[in-house]
């Protein structure tokens, strides 16, 4: 019976962020079809920020009208919305509409909002429900959350999305000279996209199946005996009850946003001994919060908005690898942090500087688009993929370290963690959206028709 409950908890946790994580790793294929093209990541980033109205609403209701929202009913509602959104996305993702004479993928953008709404709201509903079960099942829930990022990345690798080649295409043109019109043939290199191993339709249907698995797991978990007092006693130090906005960040490094780190920030020592409370000065705490704001702005707003400009100049295969492998780096960094937790402020600063350096390289390449450094070299492809993986991995580990420190202090420390992470993410997205979509500071071009200096 215990094994079955562990499997149910894992499947339930897997459904928390699988939809948005799946959407991100599919972006390299989507940009080749949807009219937004290279602008698409910046649209997704800002839509995810808008979807934070979901957890904000639940938080305010719990604060001012406690007990009005029934936890189980809310979870059933958001999981059902997630299933329907994934299913509709499978069939409507490439439908377009014209607004002010410009083609836009309106169904895709609307359904993306609902997916983000579901996943963001899961952060303030799933974990409180798990607190009603035995503490050991919550650890399994976190493992499932890690799989919500890992499994879609593995599926995308198997799909092989975004692989392309350059094809010499001939065109017939009419050339008029004086009173004579002559037909001529011209040749032009164009990008030809190789078909993936399975279609986007199948990919989103797989995401639908995973959301259905989550809903079934939740149904059976609601039949498990509740032990709220026991769970609350053993799970959190200082008797922390996460029924507010702060729990969004208590369960992972950036689980509130699309590329969520889904691991507990308070790894238990053998014997389930709670971490010792360590005193930090006001200056040290200020530094931690500044680092959280800065890192959140980079990982959740600034860099995701320009990933297409950073990777596509090297080809769609490079973009595909950078997107999927960096998505895998996030949960892997969390797993490392579970077994190698650290509270060293010096290490936090070093990791932040290193991650910022990798992010600066990615941003510099995006600014140089469509003719970045080492474009015609395999070294350029390898470096940009490695830079994205290390950028995600180092900063994810840094966020887990910050969570370990703040969890050992107080509930209010976690509240400020959540507020500043959201603030940083919002500022990053609001900064980049006009730079990318309004002022056009980043340039795109067809990979095969590029004419860059050697």
């Amino acid at each position: 019976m215990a094994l079955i409950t562990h499997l149910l908890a894992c499947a339930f946790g897997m459904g928390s962020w699988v939809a948005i994580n799946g959407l991100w790793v599919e972006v390299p294929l989507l940009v080749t079809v949807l009219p937004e093209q290279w602008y698409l990541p910046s649209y997704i980033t800002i839509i995810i920020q808008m979807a934070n109205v979901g957890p904000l609403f639940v938080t305010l209701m719990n604060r001012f009208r406690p007990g009005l929202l029934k936890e189980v009913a809310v979870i059933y509602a958001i999981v059902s919305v997630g299933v329907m959104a994934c299913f509709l996305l499978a069939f409507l993702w490439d439908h377009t509409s014209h607004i002010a004479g410009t083609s836009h993928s309106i169904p895709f953008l609307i359904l993306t909002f609902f997916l983000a709404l579901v996943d963001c709201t899961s952060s303030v509903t799933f974990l409180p429900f798990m607190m009603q079960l035995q503490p050991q099942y919550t650890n399994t829930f976190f493992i499932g959350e890690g799989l919500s990022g890992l499994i879609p990345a593995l599926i995308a690798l198997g799909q092989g999305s975004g692989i392309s080649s350059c094809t010499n295409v001939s065109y017939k043109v009419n050339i008029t000279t004086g009173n004579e019109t002559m037909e001529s043939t011209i040749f032009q290199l164009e990008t030809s996209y190789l078909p993936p191993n399975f279609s986007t339709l199948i990919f989103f249907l797989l995401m639908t199946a995973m959301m259905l698995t989550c809903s079934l797991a939740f149904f059976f978990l609601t039949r498990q005996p509740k032990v709220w007092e026991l769970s609350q006693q053993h799970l959190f130090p200082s008797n922390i009850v996460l029924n507010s906005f702060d729990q969004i960040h208590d369960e992972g490094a950036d689980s509130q946003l699309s590329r969520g780190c889904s691991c507990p920030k308070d790894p238990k020592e053998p014997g389930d001994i709670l971490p010792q409370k360590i005193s930090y000065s006001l200056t040290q705490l200020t530094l931690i919060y500044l680092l959280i704001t800065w890192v959140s702005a980079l990982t959740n707003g600034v860099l995701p908005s320009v990933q297409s400009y950073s990777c596509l100049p090297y080809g769609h295969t490079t973009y595909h690898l950078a997107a999927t492998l960096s998505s895998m780096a996030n949960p892997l960094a969390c797993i490392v942090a579970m077994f190698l937790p650290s509270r060293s402020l010096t290490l936090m600063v070093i990791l932040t500087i290193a991650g910022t350096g990798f992010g600066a390289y990615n941003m510099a390449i995006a600014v140089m688009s469509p003719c970045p450094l080492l474009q015609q070299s395999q070294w350029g492809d390898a470096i940009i993929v490695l830079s994205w993986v290390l950028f995600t991995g180092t900063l994810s580990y840094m966020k887990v370290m910050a969570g370990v420190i703040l969890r050992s202090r107080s509930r209010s420390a976690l509240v400020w963690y959540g507020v500043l992470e959201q603030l940083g993410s919002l500022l990053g997205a609001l900064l980049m959206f006009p730079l990318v979509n309004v002022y056009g500071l980043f340039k795109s071009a067809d990979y095969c028709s590029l004419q860059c200096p050697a």
Side-chain angles (χ1 to χ4, degrees):
M1 186 63 182
L3 177 60
I4 294 177
T5 306
H6 278 293
L7 292 176
L8 292 175
C10 183
F12 181 53
M14 183 181 62
S16 58
W17 281 94
V18 70
I20 286 297
N21 286 331
L23 192 66
W24 272 115
V25 297
E26 193 72 357
V27 165
L29 189 148
L30 301 177
V31 296
T32 67
V33 179
L34 298 182
E36 288 79 12
Q37 296 185 330
W38 292 32
Y39 294 133
L40 188 62
S42 64
Y43 277 97
I44 295 176
T45 301
I46 201 69
I47 286 173
I48 291 171
Q49 295 302 319
M50 295 168 58
N52 282 316
V53 298
L56 180 60
F57 171 76
V58 172
T59 299
L60 293 177
M61 290 297 293
N62 287 336
R63 175 65 178 85
F64 297 105
R65 298 294 298 273
L68 183 62
L69 289 180
K70 303 302 180 183
E71 186 176 84
V72 172
V74 172
I75 295 177
Y76 272 126
I78 63 174
V79 172
S80 299
V81 171
V83 172
M84 289 302 301
C86 284
F87 183 76
L88 292 175
L89 202 58
F91 299 95
L92 301 177
W93 70 272
D94 57 348
H95 286 226
T96 59
S97 303
H98 282 82
I99 298 179
T102 304
S103 181
H104 289 283
S105 49
I106 300 301
F108 172 82
L109 297 177
I110 293 175
L111 292 171
T112 296
F113 172 78
F114 282 105
L115 289 182
L117 186 67
V118 168
D119 288 6
C120 290
T121 310
S122 73
S123 295
V124 294
T125 53
F126 282 22
L127 185 59
F129 172 79
M130 290 303 302
M131 288 172 63
Q132 303 178 39
L133 304 179
Q134 294 283 355
Q136 64 267 24
Y137 299 130
T138 303
N139 293 334
T140 309
F141 171 84
F142 285 124
I143 294 174
E145 279 203 334
L147 294 178
S148 73
L150 187 60
I151 292 179
L154 293 176
I155 293 175
L157 284 176
Q159 185 185 23
S161 60
I163 300 177
S164 62
S165 62
C166 297
T167 305
N168 203 6
V169 181
S170 62
Y171 291 95
K172 299 290 184 180
V173 296
N174 293 324
I175 301 176
T176 302
T177 305
N179 295 327
E180 295 184 0
T181 300
M182 300 179 59
E183 188 179 77
S184 178
T185 302
I186 62 173
F187 294 90
Q188 181 177 339
L189 280 177
E190 293 186 356
T191 303
S192 175
Y193 300 105
L194 303 179
N197 296 326
F198 53 88
S199 66
T200 302
L201 168 68
I202 301 300
F203 181 87
F204 284 124
L205 287 179
L206 289 174
M207 296 299 103
T208 304
M210 295 179 72
M211 287 301 301
L212 278 172
T213 303
C214 171
S215 64
L216 289 175
F218 176 67
F219 173 79
F220 289 109
L221 283 176
T222 57
R223 270 59 183 170
Q224 300 296 314
K226 307 297 186 299
V227 283
W228 175 269
E229 294 79 5
L230 180 63
S231 178
Q232 180 180 340
Q233 177 184 354
H234 287 79
L235 185 57
F236 298 105
S238 303
N239 207 27
I240 296 171
V241 180
L242 301 181
N243 61 352
S244 186
F245 193 71
D246 58 307
Q247 70 193 324
I248 296 171
H249 311 281
D250 191 32
E251 64 182 69
D254 41 329
S255 61
Q256 174 62 15
L257 297 164
S258 58
R259 303 177 174 214
C261 174
S262 305
C263 56
K265 292 179 177 172
D266 184 23
K268 303 291 188 297
E269 299 293 334
D272 199 35
I273 301 174
L274 293 174
Q276 180 182 0
K277 187 172 181 177
I278 301 176
S279 177
Y280 291 92
S281 67
L282 179 61
T283 302
Q284 291 175 319
L285 287 175
T286 302
L287 174 62
I288 293 173
Y289 285 127
L290 288 175
L291 292 178
I292 291 170
T293 307
W294 172 254
V295 169
S296 298
L298 292 182
T299 56
N300 299 328
V302 176
L303 269 303
S305 299
V306 297
Q307 189 174 35
S308 53
Y309 297 91
S310 178
C311 300
L312 274 175
Y314 296 98
H316 287 80
T317 301
T318 301
Y319 185 18
H320 170 61
L321 291 175
T324 52
L325 294 180
S326 62
S327 293
M328 295 171 64
N330 196 307
L332 291 177
C334 293
I335 293 174
V336 171
M338 290 179 64
F339 294 99
L340 298 174
S342 174
R343 302 187 185 192
S344 169
L345 292 181
T346 302
L347 181 57
M348 285 182 61
V349 173
I350 292 175
L351 288 176
T352 302
I353 294 174
T356 302
F358 294 125
Y361 178 81
N362 298 338
M363 179 60 72
I365 295 299
V367 172
M368 296 179 190
S369 175
C371 298
L373 296 173
L374 301 174
Q375 187 178 33
Q376 305 301 326
S377 169
Q378 292 184 347
W379 283 105
D381 300 354
I383 290 173
I384 193 63
V385 172
L386 183 62
S387 180
W388 272 99
V389 171
L390 293 176
F391 164 75
T392 304
T394 54
L395 296 187
S396 295
Y397 185 79
M398 175 270 163
K399 282 191 172 186
V400 178
M401 292 175 62
V404 170
I405 292 173
L406 297 177
R407 171 176 277 190
S408 67
R409 288 189 55 81
S410 66
R411 178 181 182 275
S412 61
L414 290 173
V415 172
W416 281 107
Y417 183 111
V419 170
L420 293 176
E421 185 175 22
Q422 287 305 107
L423 177 62
S425 303
L426 179 61
L427 291 177
L430 292 178
L431 170 67
M432 295 307 299
F433 188 81
L435 295 181
V436 174
N437 298 279
V438 179
Y439 297 106
L441 298 184
F442 301 89
K443 306 298 180 183
S444 61
D446 189 285
Y447 175 75
C448 293
S449 61
L450 286 176
Q451 295 182 356
C452 297

